[in-house]
Amino acid sequence: MPPGALHQRVTAALSNWQLDDAEQLLSGVERDPSPYVAAVPAADAMDDAPNSLGRAWADTLRAELLVRRLRLAGFTLVGEPVPSDSPAEPALDLHAGVAGLLDGSPAETDPRSESASRAALAIALVRSAKAAFDAADDHLQRAAGLARHARIELLSRRIDAAMDEAVEAASLLDPTLPPSVLLIDTLTTLAGVLADLELMPLALDYQRRAHETAQAAAADPALLEPDTADPDVLVAVAATRLGELCAELGEGLLDDGAPESAAPYFAEARQLAEQALVQLPPDAPGIVPAQIVHGWALVGMGEQAAAVGPLRAAVRLSCGAGDRARLASAQLALGRALRRQGDGRAADEHLVAALDLSTEHGLPRVRRAALRELCTLHADLNDAERALPYLQAYLTDELDRVDERRTRWVELFGRRKSLLETERAAGQLRRQAYEDPLTHLPNRRYAEARLDGLLAAGDVPALAVVDVDRFKSINDAIGHPGGDAVLRVVGELLVAGVRDTDEVCRWAGDEFVILLPETTSEQAERALERIRASVVGYPWSELGLELPVTISAGIASATRGDDRKTLFAAADGVLYDAKRSGRDRVVRLSALTQTRAAAGPLDASFGPAAGDDVAPATEPGTLTSAPPSPLDAALRAVTAVRDEESGFAALLDRPYPPLGTDRPTEPLLGPLPTTSAPETIDAVVVDDTVVEQPAVENTVVEDAAIEDPLVDDAEPVVVDEVGPAVPGAVETDVVWAQGRSTEQVLTLVREARREHPDRPVLVLRAVPETLVALATEHGSATTMDAAASAAAIGTVPEPAGRVTVLCSGGADTPVAAEAAFVARVAGTEVVRIDDVAGSRTRSLLTDRTIFDDTDCLVVVAGMEASLATMIGSLTDVPVVAVPTSTGQPSAFGGLGALMTMLTAATPGMTVSNIDNGYSAGVFAARVARRSSRR
């Protein structure tokens, strides 16, 4: 196997047409007596194990040996005689009669029987080796075998087969393959095949890659095998081959009358040859090829006198080494130099020798060049009689090349036609696989693949699930053909109502989905509202319907880390809400307000929603009655969510550590539960006059009432009781879940709900398991936000006013999400804008609608602490600045950001405590509610 020493010696012998030596070397390789006899498998071999690569390479080398012997005998694999002065014999088409040859049917008296047997054996060997290479997992070994087979096909004058093998080999040579001797040899072999196929630019590219690979291997010898030759020799040999192709391409340009274009190639060939001569040891076999290339380049550059001496030495050394291919190249280069120097007789002698050697050993490129030089030589000497035979031979070769090109073009035409037909059929199959035949919209398979692609690319699309209301009654009224027409019209209205970048797909039956890349749920809701109105306003009477068709839509906006199942389950869940709320409406479920309607689809996993009835009061100091084992129910819900990967599956992945607890060696920097709260002033309206009055003091529920055997030193928890509020204002009871068990949180929420059923209970800093347990116990009364680690139990009020929350993204996101969620639960509309940092800040803040459409701004920043002061200086909207504990180590856990905000001279800005999204949300909501009443 390459790049072994035996393989290299056999290859060298075959290249020099030393066929007896090659056969002697191959005779020592163990193999089966005949390729037609099945090999005896090893004791531990698998039943279907293919032939080993070692045997495949032995078969390949034997096949090349047989083909070369056939060439010397005057035949190729297809039986075409090699052009010679002897009378042409009838063609012997061996490929058409291989079966007969294998059976021994050729008559023994046929003088060509021996050649026929050799050809049949060569065909079988190539087929056996090709099957072994095709079964190999090693792409490089397979490419090396295919390149060698392409060379065998060239020797057999099967141009089309050689082209097929070369193309397949090239497709396996991935640019990321690590440098190795085998890769260098394969690239060199492929470059030689492409040069013989007259694809010189491609040959040059592959040989250049071989040279670069050799240089990379020399730079890191650890990439090479231990017994590999000197890396510098590898580089020198690859450089010599590259220089040879450069010189040959330059010579062709000279013959075409373009010396200016040829000069760079000769210069590169000279430089490569000189580098090779420097790198090679004095006695290395690569010295002579480098001298030949160097002399060839000098001749092309017009320095014949300097080239003649080294080329004579190269001819002398090549004769002694017995390398016929190298000798033919040296004779050609020397004859060319002497012709251009004016020594016609000596030039003729060397050129004739080059022609004889190239004809004898099947070197078509050297043969054509020698014929061209002889024609030119005798034409310059006005010796028409000597020039005419060479001219005729040259024209015959050229006609053969034209025939080969014609055959190649015909084959290329057929392949291109077949490829186009295949592509057309594949496109039709693709359309059938991804297109709904009724509406001609993309189908569910396409929608799933497209949504997976968007989420995998880090996009955060919105997904809308649209359902035609009471579609069964439509089918009953106008029949199934009429129902099909309704679905087509609905599909057209959906497509007309979205952007070009959005995609409408038919999911199943009367259900459609809309993929809206880079879209928030609020933007998607506005678009779907327009579509809903256009569906209602369509003249359905033209289709025979008395009542208009309506649609219901559920919208969910993805967050980073969501998968397709989770996103679709969320959108489908709020579609149920729209259906149960009366149909003909659009309901959205965003990361900010994940609210479910009663009897939603999640009830199948979490159980029925809790009723609104208030639990009966208990005696002081006792616990509220709870359902049996609520913690076990929560754990069962968590397991169900993890197994099904739908619903609130995203809540089970903790994207951020609990705020303020990720640095054990530092004190908690976030707000902590306290034993009491200062007296607050709230307002009531009496006869249209606002009168301020003291609020009721906060009530403290001691942990003694909710003692958990797993928590011995739990701190008291504050449940805020707020007195009468202004119309539209809703103050919440707050339960801090940080540091408390799920059972404790559930008990506190039940207590607060029993005492104040008319106001929501806000749970902050909760772990995902606690959030799922809350959804399990309270069902449709639960509103939650995974990013904020918060939940609200109870009815969320209608929004009044608007709060915009901005943050620089990253680790500031949990605090921003907490502020936004608290503000929404406190009764105001909230808009979140993340990633306000760097170059995006300038372009974002030039949009004045951010300031004009909001009543209060919340700016959350840690590392970008100056963001709050910058925004405060650009607007007269009140700004609440929230410093966070993220940033550089020198920020001292948020103290740096806090001091930056406190010492700012920006008017109209207030500053909350570090990581205190709750206080910022409450303050901003109060400002927005009061502003909305003006």
Side-chain angles (χ1 to χ4, degrees):
M1 286 178 56
L6 179 58
H7 182 277
Q8 297 291 350
R9 292 171 61 191
V10 175
T11 298
L14 290 173
S15 299
N16 295 329
W17 293 86
Q18 298 168 349
L19 305 185
D20 292 337
D21 294 344
E23 186 168 6
Q24 185 177 1
L25 290 170
L26 285 171
S27 64
V29 180
E30 294 184 3
R31 64 180 301 277
D32 295 321
S34 170
Y36 317 118
V37 178
V40 178
D44 56 347
M46 299 175 59
D47 294 338
D48 57 348
N51 292 337
S52 68
L53 287 176
R55 176 176 175 181
W57 275 109
D59 289 347
T60 298
L61 295 174
R62 285 190 175 88
E64 185 172 345
L65 172 64
L66 291 169
V67 171
R68 289 180 181 270
R69 289 198 181 279
L70 283 170
R71 287 300 301 269
L72 292 180
F75 293 95
T76 67
L77 277 183
V78 293
E80 298 172 357
V82 175
S84 65
D85 296 334
S86 61
E89 299 185 26
L92 178 63
D93 190 354
L94 300 179
H95 280 78
V98 172
L101 291 169
L102 298 184
D103 295 336
S105 60
E108 295 181 358
T109 57
D110 188 348
R112 296 176 297 173
S113 295
E114 183 180 357
S115 297
S117 300
R118 285 180 177 175
L121 182 58
I123 293 170
L125 288 170
V126 169
R127 289 178 178 176
S128 173
K130 184 170 175 50
F133 285 127
D134 289 342
D137 294 331
D138 190 337
H139 284 188
L140 181 54
Q141 283 283 351
R142 186 180 172 193
L146 289 169
R148 196 59 175 263
H149 289 171
R151 190 160 72 179
I152 295 174
E153 298 292 1
L154 279 177
L155 288 170
S156 306
R157 302 184 67 181
R158 286 166 44 85
I159 305 301
D160 55 345
M163 180 72 77
D164 290 341
E165 303 283 4
V167 169
E168 189 174 357
S171 67
L172 295 171
L173 293 174
D174 192 277
T176 60
L177 287 172
S180 66
V181 176
L182 179 57
L183 179 58
I184 298 168
D185 288 346
T186 304
L187 290 169
T188 301
T189 302
L190 184 58
V193 170
L194 293 171
D196 287 339
L197 289 171
E198 301 182 44
L199 302 174
M200 288 300 297
L202 285 176
L204 200 64
D205 289 342
Y206 277 94
Q207 188 57 54
R208 199 179 301 279
R209 181 181 168 189
H211 182 230
E212 293 171 352
T213 304
Q215 289 178 319
D220 188 4
L223 298 173
L224 301 176
E225 294 79 1
D227 56 347
T228 302
D230 187 353
D232 289 338
V233 174
L234 288 177
V235 176
V237 172
T240 301
R241 297 286 179 84
L242 179 58
E244 182 180 355
L245 290 178
C246 289
E248 187 172 350
L249 187 57
E251 198 64 42
L253 292 172
L254 275 182
D255 292 337
D256 293 338
E260 297 82 2
S261 301
Y265 290 104
F266 284 123
E268 183 179 3
R270 178 179 182 175
Q271 180 182 5
L272 290 168
E274 290 174 350
Q275 291 176 355
L277 290 171
V278 170
Q279 290 177 307
L280 288 168
D283 56 345
I287 287 288
V288 175
Q291 288 177 340
I292 295 173
V293 173
H294 187 252
W296 193 351
L298 291 175
V299 172
M301 299 175 69
E303 303 178 17
Q304 292 84 5
V308 169
L311 287 175
R312 289 187 187 278
V315 169
R316 185 174 60 257
L317 293 173
S318 298
C319 288
D323 190 333
R324 301 303 178 186
R326 186 187 308 167
L327 178 59
S329 297
Q331 295 277 23
L332 174 63
L334 180 56
R336 182 182 287 125
L338 293 172
R339 180 187 69 80
R340 296 181 185 179
Q341 203 175 24
D343 190 349
R345 178 176 298 180
D348 181 70
E349 178 185 350
H350 291 290
L351 290 174
V352 169
L355 177 61
D356 293 340
L357 286 169
S358 60
T359 303
E360 179 184 358
H361 296 295
L363 304 172
R365 287 148 50 203
V366 177
R367 172 185 164 86
R368 284 195 299 270
L371 286 172
R372 191 169 54 244
E373 288 292 334
L374 286 167
C375 289
T376 304
L377 171 64
H378 292 289
D380 292 342
L381 296 174
N382 293 322
D383 189 354
E385 183 178 359
R386 292 287 305 277
L388 184 59
Y390 297 125
L391 179 59
Q392 289 175 339
Y394 182 77
L395 292 177
T396 300
D397 284 1
E398 286 298 312
L399 288 175
D400 289 342
R401 293 172 65 192
V402 170
D403 289 340
E404 291 175 357
R405 290 195 191 100
R406 185 182 297 112
T407 303
R408 204 175 304 164
W409 279 110
V410 170
E411 183 184 0
L412 180 61
F413 175 84
R415 290 183 181 180
R416 181 59 179 166
K417 178 174 175 291
S418 176
L419 178 61
L420 289 176
E421 291 173 350
T422 303
E423 290 178 350
R424 192 177 297 112
Q428 185 175 359
L429 291 174
R430 190 158 43 259
R431 284 192 298 273
Q432 292 175 357
Y434 288 111
E435 184 178 281
D436 173 54
L438 176 63
T439 61
H440 299 292
L441 293 173
N443 60 12
R444 175 173 181 167
R445 185 181 292 109
Y446 174 86
E448 290 177 341
R450 178 65 174 145
L451 189 56
D452 285 338
L454 289 173
L455 295 173
D459 200 351
V460 283
L463 175 67
V465 181
V466 181
D467 187 81
V468 180
D469 296 330
R470 299 184 175 89
F471 185 68
K472 183 178 182 302
S473 64
I474 295 175
N475 276 334
D476 294 340
I478 59 177
H480 288 283
D484 292 344
V486 169
L487 290 177
R488 282 193 290 268
V489 171
V490 171
E492 293 171 358
L493 294 174
L494 292 175
V495 172
V498 298
R499 304 165 299 184
D500 293 339
T501 56
D502 303 330
E503 296 181 87
V504 180
C505 308
R506 186 184 178 195
W507 190 257
D510 59 340
E511 199 168 53
F512 299 82
V513 296
I514 306 177
L515 309 179
L516 302 102
E518 295 294 341
T519 305
T520 64
S521 57
E522 292 84 359
Q523 294 169 333
E525 182 182 23
R526 290 193 290 269
L528 266 295
E529 279 292 348
R530 291 195 301 269
I531 294 174
R532 184 196 61 78
S534 68
V535 171
V536 173
Y538 186 83
W540 295 107
S541 58
E542 297 177 358
L543 297 181
L545 291 171
E546 298 179 358
L547 297 175
V549 174
T550 61
I551 59 173
S552 300
I555 301 170
S557 180
T559 58
R560 301 197 182 276
D562 280 349
D563 60 7
R564 167 173 50 84
K565 293 182 179 179
T566 302
L567 183 58
F568 181 81
D572 198 42
V574 289
L575 173 62
Y576 266 83
D577 296 348
K579 290 285 190 181
R580 293 185 179 276
S581 301
R583 296 183 174 85
D584 189 20
R585 62 192 62 211
V586 177
V587 179
R588 65 179 171 89
L589 171 66
S590 68
L592 181 61
T593 57
Q594 297 184 6
T595 307
R596 299 187 295 111
L602 292 178
D603 294 338
S605 297
F606 295 137
D612 291 331
D613 295 336
V614 180
T618 58
E619 296 181 3
T622 62
L623 293 177
T624 306
S625 59
S629 303
L631 187 56
D632 294 339
L635 293 176
R636 286 195 299 272
V638 171
T639 304
V641 170
R642 281 176 172 154
D643 292 341
E644 297 180 7
E645 296 184 355
S646 60
F648 293 106
L651 296 177
L652 300 181
D653 297 326
R654 188 195 305 263
Y656 306 100
L659 295 173
T661 62
D662 54 339
R663 291 172 297 278
T665 59
E666 298 181 18
L668 287 175
L669 299 174
L672 292 174
T674 57
T675 56
S676 63
E679 182 177 334
T680 60
I681 303 297
D682 275 317
V684 298
V685 178
V686 180
D687 297 332
D688 297 331
T689 303
V690 179
V691 180
E692 295 182 346
Q693 67 175 21
V696 181
E697 290 186 357
N698 297 325
T699 304
V700 180
V701 181
E702 297 291 342
D703 279 351
I706 55 170
E707 184 173 353
D708 190 331
L710 301 179
V711 181
D712 296 330
D713 55 349
E715 299 176 5
V717 180
V718 177
V719 179
D720 298 328
E721 295 184 0
V722 183
V726 294
V730 177
E731 298 296 344
T732 60
D733 295 333
V734 183
V735 174
W736 293 90
Q738 183 173 325
R740 286 173 172 77
S741 66
T742 299
E743 181 63 32
Q744 286 179 309
V745 174
L746 291 174
T747 303
L748 285 172
V749 171
R750 286 195 294 269
E751 281 286 328
R753 290 282 285 162
R754 186 185 72 245
E755 294 294 332
H756 302 286
D758 57 337
R759 68 176 70 164
V761 179
L762 186 61
V763 179
L764 298 176
R765 312 287 172 90
V767 296
E769 286 77 4
T770 300
L771 294 178
V772 175
L774 290 169
T776 302
E777 182 168 322
H778 297 281
S780 61
T782 307
T783 302
M784 65 178 62
D785 182 1
S789 300
I793 313 302
T795 303
V796 176
E798 291 295 323
R802 173 179 289 186
V803 171
T804 299
V805 180
L806 301 94
C807 81
S808 57
D812 297 337
T813 303
V815 180
E818 180 181 274
F821 185 78
V822 170
R824 176 63 189 92
V825 174
T828 185
E829 181 183 358
V830 179
V831 176
R832 273 188 58 190
I833 303 176
D834 294 336
D835 298 328
V836 185
S839 59
R840 191 167 181 262
T841 306
R842 182 184 301 273
S843 59
L844 186 65
L845 296 182
T846 54
D847 183 8
R848 301 298 303 178
T849 58
I850 298 176
F851 306 135
D852 297 339
D853 297 341
T854 190
D855 300 306
C856 188
L857 290 164
V858 177
V859 182
V860 180
M863 189 179 298
E864 302 281 345
S866 60
L867 178 63
T869 60
M870 180 193 310
I871 292 176
S873 63
L874 294 176
T875 179
D876 58 354
V877 178
V879 176
V880 183
V882 184
T884 65
S885 55
T886 62
Q888 301 293 338
S890 59
F892 302 107
L895 292 177
L898 177 64
M899 295 305 298
T900 299
M901 295 175 180
L902 286 175
T903 57
T906 304
M909 184 178 76
T910 184
V911 182
S912 76
N913 196 5
I914 299 172
D915 291 339
N916 194 348
Y918 165 70
S919 297
V922 171
F923 183 88
R926 290 178 177 177
V927 172
R929 288 201 311 265
R930 192 169 295 274
S931 299
S932 66
R933 297 200 300 271
R934 295 176 181 173

